[in-house]
Amino acid sequence: MKDSNRYGVAIASVVWRADELYRIVLVRRQDGAVALIEVPDDLVKDLVRFDRTAVLKNRWSLEAVVRGHLANAVFSRDVEFGKSGLENGSVKAELGNLRRFNSVLLGVDIGEFDLKPRYLWN
């Protein structure tokens, strides 16, 4: 049986700042460390404003973006909203769930992604 938490899990959310697209935010569950991923240009037009339906519609593309960036993601504890995002959404991050990071950053979850040992080195 596979132990999905053996190396950790990262939550991925599309995040908006006051209804303006911010980035895709990865938060490691075990420590709240955060990595940021720019939203690819071909998805920006659909995600320019807060829109849960657009996240659902672009599910497969967003998952591919996250998976493509996991190997090079640089997690930092300096970004304060990581832990608040975990406190606000302690349940499993499932596609479409809302997640508040602070008073101006609101996200829609893409999902949870298993981390391999390499992703925990930084």
Side-chain angles (χ1 to χ4, degrees), residues 15-23 49 104-106:
V15 176
W16 289 265
R17 180 184 329 178
D19 203 36
E20 179 180 311
L21 183 61
Y22 179 60
R23 290 182 177 93
R49 296 274 180 234
V104 295
L105 292 174
L106 179 64

mmCIF file of all heavy atoms in Angstrom, residues 15-23 49 104-106:
data_model
loop_
_atom_site.group_PDB
_atom_site.id
_atom_site.type_symbol
_atom_site.label_atom_id
_atom_site.label_comp_id
_atom_site.label_asym_id
_atom_site.label_seq_id
_atom_site.Cartn_x
_atom_site.Cartn_y
_atom_site.Cartn_z
ATOM 1 N N VAL A 15 -4.851 31.546 -7.009
ATOM 2 C CA VAL A 15 -5.117 32.585 -6.020
ATOM 3 C C VAL A 15 -5.300 33.944 -6.703
ATOM 4 O O VAL A 15 -4.553 34.292 -7.623
ATOM 5 C CB VAL A 15 -3.973 32.645 -4.980
ATOM 6 C CG1 VAL A 15 -4.179 33.777 -3.992
ATOM 7 C CG2 VAL A 15 -3.871 31.309 -4.245
ATOM 8 N N TRP A 16 -6.292 34.670 -6.202
ATOM 9 C CA TRP A 16 -6.554 36.026 -6.662
ATOM 10 C C TRP A 16 -6.353 36.987 -5.507
ATOM 11 O O TRP A 16 -6.598 36.651 -4.356
ATOM 12 C CB TRP A 16 -7.996 36.167 -7.159
ATOM 13 C CG TRP A 16 -8.267 35.461 -8.440
ATOM 14 C CD1 TRP A 16 -8.224 35.998 -9.693
ATOM 15 C CD2 TRP A 16 -8.639 34.092 -8.611
ATOM 16 N NE1 TRP A 16 -8.537 35.046 -10.624
ATOM 17 C CE2 TRP A 16 -8.800 33.861 -9.990
ATOM 18 C CE3 TRP A 16 -8.846 33.032 -7.732
ATOM 19 C CZ2 TRP A 16 -9.169 32.626 -10.506
ATOM 20 C CZ3 TRP A 16 -9.204 31.807 -8.237
ATOM 21 C CH2 TRP A 16 -9.367 31.609 -9.606
ATOM 22 N N ARG A 17 -5.912 38.196 -5.845
ATOM 23 C CA ARG A 17 -5.763 39.271 -4.864
ATOM 24 C C ARG A 17 -6.803 40.324 -5.216
ATOM 25 O O ARG A 17 -6.704 40.962 -6.272
ATOM 26 C CB ARG A 17 -4.374 39.894 -4.927
ATOM 27 C CG ARG A 17 -4.164 40.997 -3.935
ATOM 28 C CD ARG A 17 -2.835 41.668 -4.061
ATOM 29 N NE ARG A 17 -1.825 40.739 -4.541
ATOM 30 C CZ ARG A 17 -0.582 41.062 -4.780
ATOM 31 N NH1 ARG A 17 -0.163 42.273 -4.596
ATOM 32 N NH2 ARG A 17 0.270 40.168 -5.236
ATOM 33 N N ALA A 18 -7.792 40.477 -4.358
ATOM 34 C CA ALA A 18 -8.864 41.445 -4.595
ATOM 35 C C ALA A 18 -9.432 41.297 -6.012
ATOM 36 O O ALA A 18 -9.530 42.255 -6.753
ATOM 37 C CB ALA A 18 -8.376 42.860 -4.334
ATOM 38 N N ASP A 19 -9.763 40.074 -6.390
ATOM 39 C CA ASP A 19 -10.379 39.729 -7.668
ATOM 40 C C ASP A 19 -9.450 39.936 -8.871
ATOM 41 O O ASP A 19 -9.889 39.991 -10.001
ATOM 42 C CB ASP A 19 -11.694 40.501 -7.876
ATOM 43 C CG ASP A 19 -12.611 39.784 -8.853
ATOM 44 O OD1 ASP A 19 -12.633 38.537 -8.855
ATOM 45 O OD2 ASP A 19 -13.287 40.463 -9.632
ATOM 46 N N GLU A 20 -8.158 40.035 -8.628
ATOM 47 C CA GLU A 20 -7.170 40.112 -9.704
ATOM 48 C C GLU A 20 -6.265 38.890 -9.592
ATOM 49 O O GLU A 20 -5.776 38.565 -8.513
ATOM 50 C CB GLU A 20 -6.345 41.395 -9.542
ATOM 51 C CG GLU A 20 -5.276 41.574 -10.578
ATOM 52 C CD GLU A 20 -4.507 42.865 -10.345
ATOM 53 O OE1 GLU A 20 -5.141 43.918 -10.163
ATOM 54 O OE2 GLU A 20 -3.260 42.804 -10.324
ATOM 55 N N LEU A 21 -6.030 38.206 -10.704
ATOM 56 C CA LEU A 21 -5.228 36.978 -10.684
ATOM 57 C C LEU A 21 -3.863 37.239 -10.064
ATOM 58 O O LEU A 21 -3.167 38.184 -10.430
ATOM 59 C CB LEU A 21 -5.075 36.428 -12.105
ATOM 60 C CG LEU A 21 -4.315 35.117 -12.242
ATOM 61 C CD1 LEU A 21 -5.011 33.998 -11.478
ATOM 62 C CD2 LEU A 21 -4.183 34.744 -13.718
ATOM 63 N N TYR A 22 -3.470 36.394 -9.111
ATOM 64 C CA TYR A 22 -2.180 36.499 -8.442
ATOM 65 C C TYR A 22 -1.225 35.444 -9.016
ATOM 66 O O TYR A 22 -0.388 35.740 -9.851
ATOM 67 C CB TYR A 22 -2.371 36.350 -6.931
ATOM 68 C CG TYR A 22 -1.106 36.407 -6.125
ATOM 69 C CD1 TYR A 22 -0.294 37.533 -6.161
ATOM 70 C CD2 TYR A 22 -0.723 35.345 -5.327
ATOM 71 C CE1 TYR A 22 0.880 37.586 -5.418
ATOM 72 C CE2 TYR A 22 0.438 35.395 -4.573
ATOM 73 C CZ TYR A 22 1.229 36.513 -4.625
ATOM 74 O OH TYR A 22 2.385 36.558 -3.892
ATOM 75 N N ARG A 23 -1.356 34.195 -8.609
ATOM 76 C CA ARG A 23 -0.512 33.087 -9.074
ATOM 77 C C ARG A 23 -1.149 31.768 -8.656
ATOM 78 O O ARG A 23 -2.154 31.751 -7.977
ATOM 79 C CB ARG A 23 0.874 33.163 -8.438
ATOM 80 C CG ARG A 23 1.713 34.306 -8.919
ATOM 81 C CD ARG A 23 3.082 34.238 -8.255
ATOM 82 N NE ARG A 23 3.938 35.286 -8.736
ATOM 83 C CZ ARG A 23 4.079 36.479 -8.170
ATOM 84 N NH1 ARG A 23 3.385 36.778 -7.097
ATOM 85 N NH2 ARG A 23 4.899 37.375 -8.672
ATOM 86 N N ARG A 49 -10.193 37.034 -13.605
ATOM 87 C CA ARG A 49 -10.973 37.425 -12.424
ATOM 88 C C ARG A 49 -11.341 36.182 -11.628
ATOM 89 O O ARG A 49 -11.408 35.089 -12.179
ATOM 90 C CB ARG A 49 -12.251 38.157 -12.836
ATOM 91 C CG ARG A 49 -11.998 39.454 -13.537
ATOM 92 C CD ARG A 49 -11.835 40.563 -12.536
ATOM 93 N NE ARG A 49 -11.580 41.811 -13.234
ATOM 94 C CZ ARG A 49 -10.543 42.585 -12.970
ATOM 95 N NH1 ARG A 49 -9.704 42.261 -12.023
ATOM 96 N NH2 ARG A 49 -10.357 43.690 -13.618
ATOM 97 N N VAL A 104 -6.987 39.582 1.749
ATOM 98 C CA VAL A 104 -7.115 39.965 0.334
ATOM 99 C C VAL A 104 -6.807 38.838 -0.643
ATOM 100 O O VAL A 104 -7.053 38.979 -1.829
ATOM 101 C CB VAL A 104 -6.238 41.198 -0.012
ATOM 102 C CG1 VAL A 104 -6.713 42.430 0.728
ATOM 103 C CG2 VAL A 104 -4.779 40.921 0.267
ATOM 104 N N LEU A 105 -6.261 37.728 -0.178
ATOM 105 C CA LEU A 105 -5.923 36.617 -1.067
ATOM 106 C C LEU A 105 -6.900 35.459 -0.868
ATOM 107 O O LEU A 105 -7.005 34.900 0.220
ATOM 108 C CB LEU A 105 -4.502 36.121 -0.810
ATOM 109 C CG LEU A 105 -3.377 37.077 -1.187
ATOM 110 C CD1 LEU A 105 -2.033 36.521 -0.735
ATOM 111 C CD2 LEU A 105 -3.357 37.348 -2.675
ATOM 112 N N LEU A 106 -7.607 35.127 -1.945
ATOM 113 C CA LEU A 106 -8.581 34.042 -1.921
ATOM 114 C C LEU A 106 -8.261 33.093 -3.061
ATOM 115 O O LEU A 106 -7.954 33.531 -4.171
ATOM 116 C CB LEU A 106 -10.001 34.597 -2.084
ATOM 117 C CG LEU A 106 -11.135 33.580 -2.099
ATOM 118 C CD1 LEU A 106 -11.238 32.859 -0.750
ATOM 119 C CD2 LEU A 106 -12.455 34.267 -2.424
#
